[in-house]
Amino acid sequence: MRTPLVAGNWKMHKTVTEAVALAEAVAAGVRDLAGVEVAVAPPFTALAPVARVLTNTPVRLGAQNVHWELEGAYTGEVAAPMLAELGVHYVIVGHSERRRDFGETDDLVARKAGRVLGAGMTPIVCVGETLEQRDAGRAFEVVETQIRAGIGPLGPDTLERLVVAYEPVWAIGTGRSATAEQAQEMHAHIRATLEAIGGGDAARGVRILYGGSVKPDNAAELLGQPDVDGALVGGASLQAEAFASIARSAL
Ligand code: PGA
């Protein structure tokens, strides 16, 4: 009942020219794929040109960040209505790189996600523990707090309009993905936490993506878990062939 979503997070990669070429290759690579939703999140500079490439394709456009205010004196920032006007469908919020490098807190994550929803788009709210937290036996508690504080304030009715991504920090860009068992048990825990926020029906409808070193050779096993509803892919999303292969594994 949950359509899998495979989203590519291009991070700070690709000039406009390169992004257009990659988007064309991704669109061609997943052209015949039914039953899986595919999205790409280029850097802000490439959103408009990539939006044009994706017109009349099933591939959806994502953004990697957004500001928590609607407009104002925030030099260098981008607001939700600006993204919505470009045809952006998904906005990644609370990625661990932003939490780590830009001081993004759960409170800011909730405010950003609220702006995304308010502009008619879908937030992909990222959560995940560090290696230190996992080694200390605190992974479940940390992720639960991130969900309660980052999603709880949005209210129970918003659950059906958002996506969660579980991305253990120790698995991002390291080549060391979580095992399928580790992913499944955390995803089940996230779903139970969502149930406490919004009830069972709503929680069962939320797509929970796994992210962190997803590659063509481990995607099928991870995506085969009952509570893993897709993937948020960094490095491997920069190669159209690898990304299309991951998307096919979600079937
Ligand atoms: P990775 O990144 O696939 O390169 O590990 C995932 C992410 O940060 O979203």
Side-chain angles (χ1 to χ4, degrees):
M1 88 189 168
R2 297 185 294 266
T3 304
L5 168 63
V6 173
N9 173 11
W10 294 0
K11 306 194 180 183
M12 199 174 71
H13 295 286
K14 305 295 172 187
T15 64
V16 168
T17 309
E18 293 164 348
V20 163
L22 178 57
E24 283 168 350
V26 168
V30 301
R31 198 176 33 219
D32 300 323
L33 200 62
V36 181
E37 214 188 303
V38 175
V40 294
F44 287 139
T45 43
L47 282 173
V50 167
R52 283 191 284 278
V53 171
L54 299 183
T55 309
N56 299 323
T57 80
V59 180
R60 287 187 145 149
L61 185 63
Q64 301 173 20
N65 183 32
V66 68
H67 197 266
W68 60 86
E69 293 293 353
L70 270 183
E71 64 176 353
Y74 300 100
T75 303
E77 293 293 315
V78 172
M82 301 171 186
L83 299 175
E85 193 190 64
L86 294 179
V88 168
H89 188 90
Y90 292 108
V91 182
I92 300 169
V93 293
H95 191 281
S96 63
E97 287 153 11
R98 297 209 55 89
R99 292 177 188 260
R100 181 194 67 202
D101 300 335
F102 300 94
E104 226 159 84
T105 60
D106 291 327
D107 174 54
L108 281 187
V109 169
R111 289 163 69 187
K112 288 181 172 206
R115 288 297 181 200
V116 172
L117 290 164
M121 302 178 290
T122 301
I124 300 179
V125 179
C126 300
V127 296
E129 81 287 358
T130 63
L131 186 58
E132 197 185 4
Q133 290 164 334
R134 177 160 282 264
D135 286 346
R138 296 183 49 229
F140 290 92
E141 166 205 330
V142 165
V143 169
E144 182 171 337
T145 300
Q146 290 172 336
I147 294 281
R148 286 186 184 276
I151 292 177
L154 301 171
D157 298 340
T158 54
L159 285 195
E160 62 191 26
R161 295 168 53 212
L162 54 80
V163 173
V164 174
Y166 169 55
E167 300 204 306
V169 177
W170 45 272
I172 295 177
T174 58
R176 172 188 169 193
S177 91
T179 64
E181 294 70 30
Q182 285 171 325
Q184 169 55 30
E185 61 179 6
M186 185 60 86
H187 283 226
H189 182 66
I190 290 170
R191 204 175 300 286
T193 307
L194 293 171
E195 181 168 349
I197 293 171
D201 285 350
R204 272 188 293 279
V206 179
R207 288 177 296 180
I208 306 175
L209 316 183
Y210 169 78
S213 296
V214 177
K215 307 284 177 217
D217 61 0
N218 62 15
E221 206 193 344
L222 287 159
L223 294 171
Q225 302 304 308
D227 284 296
V228 178
D229 308 311
L232 184 55
V233 186
S237 74
L238 298 173
Q239 292 148 3
E241 247 322 296
F243 186 59
S245 154
I246 292 168
R248 277 192 292 275
S249 322
L251 279 175

